[in-house]
Amino acid sequence: MNFDLKSMTLTQLERKFKDDGFPNYRASQVFEWLHKHTVESFEQMTNLPLKLREELKAKYPLYNCKIVKQQTSALDDTIKFLFSLWDKATVETVLMKYKHGYTLCISTQVGCSRSCAFCATGISGLSRNLLPSEMLSQVYVAQKAKGIKVSNIVLMGMGEPLDNFSNVIKFIDILNSERAQNIGKRNITLSTCGIVPKILELADVQPQVNLSVSLHAPNDELRGKIMPVNALYSLKDLLDACIKHANLTGRRTTFEYALFDNLNDKPEHARELAFLLKGLNCHVNLIPANPVGVKGYKTSKRESVNNFYDELLLEGINVTIRRTLGQDIEASCGQLKRRYMYEI
């Protein structure tokens, strides 16, 4: 892959242009064209001289993503995109509409190496990390496709964001720039299966970004069966890291808990979870899991979800039941990609 201009911060771009003999102010112009106006070619940078545009085009390729499939929910207007990347790899992105505006759920890797038992993405394993330009393009192309401005970003799509740490950090910095999309870091949420050392590093370099941890079980035995990462970092290690993260950042942790029928959705599981989280600066987001087509995992019954919620509330835990979106378009990441692979 040739030099990736779109993955550079403004400071890096200025340094690169200086090294290559271009005026410093041209770097600022190109950066704004790429990240504020979200153009996809040098030809569209109309305040640059034609000769310079031709030089830039010859020297620096631009890597964009293209929509190869799109599904819109008839239930709630959730939109799921399947994007093709420069090497023909594909990733999924989901656009959700809320009262406060639009939230975009993006992917950070092609596939995932963490192999959570209930996850459709992990079935195929990890192909590669996404570059900052590829994560940014998911935002830019989705906005253009629907003619909207996204207000919130969640890194909860395909892949484990903390396994692609440096690229994710650069993505956040570029997206947050006043000369780019200017999306506040407090409007960005990173979801992880629990990579303990990187959670602490995240607190150091991106303290304003919201941390969301995929928990899905109240004890090591059950979590170890469904989430292999638990063999590396126990629940105690993970919760200690979350406490340190909260103390360093002043931000509470959100714990995602997907409810599966007769697996982790019993009242005793709720009571065990409440005991585990008691006293932590946290919020529990209960997820009536979308059917993912993974054998042995079925969505919890509504009664079980409500009972689980009531148990946590009774124990004084801050908890909500996530609004279920896009069920008719298989909004859980990994499913559209897998079906597309079979279709072609």
Side-chain angles (χ1 to χ4, degrees):
M1 185 176 182
N2 290 320
F3 199 79
D4 184 19
L5 200 71
K6 202 170 179 179
S7 287
M8 297 182 140
T9 64
L10 178 55
T11 301
Q12 290 173 325
L13 194 57
E14 287 173 339
R15 191 181 304 125
K16 180 62 180 172
F17 270 36
K18 182 180 178 181
D19 290 345
D20 289 351
F22 296 111
N24 189 64
Y25 71 94
R26 293 300 187 194
S28 300
Q29 289 177 314
V30 169
F31 185 87
E32 288 197 1
W33 275 115
L34 290 174
H35 302 295
K36 191 170 191 174
H37 305 295
T38 66
V39 302
E40 297 182 357
S41 70
F42 291 108
E43 287 88 347
Q44 295 171 287
M45 301 180 186
T46 51
N47 65 342
L48 271 60
L50 179 59
K51 184 181 177 184
L52 176 59
R53 281 182 266 166
E54 290 173 346
E55 284 183 66
L56 293 173
K57 182 179 178 181
K59 197 171 186 66
Y60 310 117
L62 295 179
Y63 298 98
N64 304 301
C65 63
K66 295 180 180 179
I67 299 171
V68 293
K69 207 167 184 65
Q70 180 177 326
Q71 294 177 325
T72 302
S73 171
L75 303 175
D76 50 45
D77 294 327
T78 296
I79 300 170
K80 188 168 187 177
F81 299 98
L82 183 68
F83 287 122
S84 175
L85 307 175
W86 63 272
D87 60 353
K88 307 304 180 187
T90 54
V91 293
E92 295 176 13
T93 305
V94 179
L95 180 66
M96 297 160 284
K97 187 176 182 180
Y98 294 95
K99 290 180 181 178
H100 59 75
Y102 288 94
T103 294
L104 192 70
C105 177
I106 73 156
S107 295
T108 56
Q109 295 180 304
V110 181
C112 184
S113 66
R114 293 299 171 174
S115 304
C116 296
F118 51 83
C119 178
T121 298
I123 292 172
S124 302
L126 176 68
S127 296
R128 66 174 178 86
N129 288 329
L130 292 187
L131 297 160
S133 58
E134 294 171 315
M135 290 180 262
L136 291 161
S137 285
Q138 292 174 62
V139 181
Y140 302 165
V141 175
Q143 288 187 146
K144 282 182 185 176
K146 304 317 295 178
I148 53 96
K149 180 76 166 72
V150 168
S151 59
N152 293 74
I153 300 291
V154 291
L155 285 74
M156 294 184 184
M158 297 170 64
E160 165 55 58
L162 295 185
D163 281 340
N164 188 15
F165 192 84
S166 60
N167 284 337
V168 163
I169 297 306
K170 196 183 290 188
F171 158 79
I172 292 169
D173 283 336
I174 294 172
L175 197 68
N176 172 247
S177 169
E178 290 181 359
R179 306 183 82 157
Q181 293 296 295
N182 197 24
I183 294 178
K185 292 187 179 182
R186 293 192 175 206
N187 289 353
I188 299 172
T189 299
L190 184 150
S191 177
T192 175
C193 66
I195 316 300
V196 166
K198 292 299 181 181
I199 288 174
L200 300 177
E201 195 174 344
L202 182 71
D204 226 13
V205 299
Q206 295 288 6
Q208 290 187 311
V209 169
N210 300 304
L211 175 67
S212 179
V213 176
S214 297
L215 206 59
H216 308 321
N219 58 65
D220 282 319
E221 183 182 2
L222 179 55
R223 194 167 191 262
K225 288 178 182 177
I226 62 176
M227 299 184 71
V229 70
N230 205 75
L232 297 174
Y233 310 109
S234 68
L235 276 174
K236 182 183 183 308
D237 293 336
L238 177 57
L239 293 180
D240 284 348
C242 292
I243 291 169
K244 289 176 183 175
H245 182 279
N247 289 339
L248 287 168
T249 65
R251 316 279 293 159
R252 74 177 183 183
T253 305
T254 295
F255 290 105
E256 306 283 345
Y257 196 103
L259 291 157
F260 295 98
D261 186 40
N262 208 33
L263 174 71
N264 64 351
D265 64 346
K266 298 176 182 177
E268 54 265 36
H269 292 135
R271 289 190 288 271
E272 193 174 5
L273 180 64
F275 180 79
L276 189 71
L277 301 182
K278 202 73 133 179
L280 270 66
N281 182 16
C282 70
H283 182 89
V284 176
N285 200 0
L286 295 179
I287 307 167
N290 280 336
V292 295
V294 179
K295 188 176 181 181
Y297 293 90
K298 297 180 180 179
T299 304
S300 286
K301 298 176 180 66
R302 173 49 64 177
E303 182 183 3
S304 299
V305 174
N306 290 339
N307 289 341
F308 203 100
Y309 171 84
D310 289 341
E311 288 284 352
L312 290 182
L313 211 58
L314 193 64
E315 296 293 335
I317 302 297
N318 290 318
V319 58
T320 53
I321 300 173
R322 182 192 286 178
R323 176 183 163 205
T324 303
L325 297 174
Q327 278 197 320
D328 60 326
I329 58 168
E330 303 171 310
S332 298
C333 276
Q335 295 169 277
L336 180 57
K337 173 185 170 74
R338 283 174 60 79
R339 199 173 75 222
Y340 175 74
M341 287 168 63
Y342 294 132
E343 286 174 356
I344 60 173

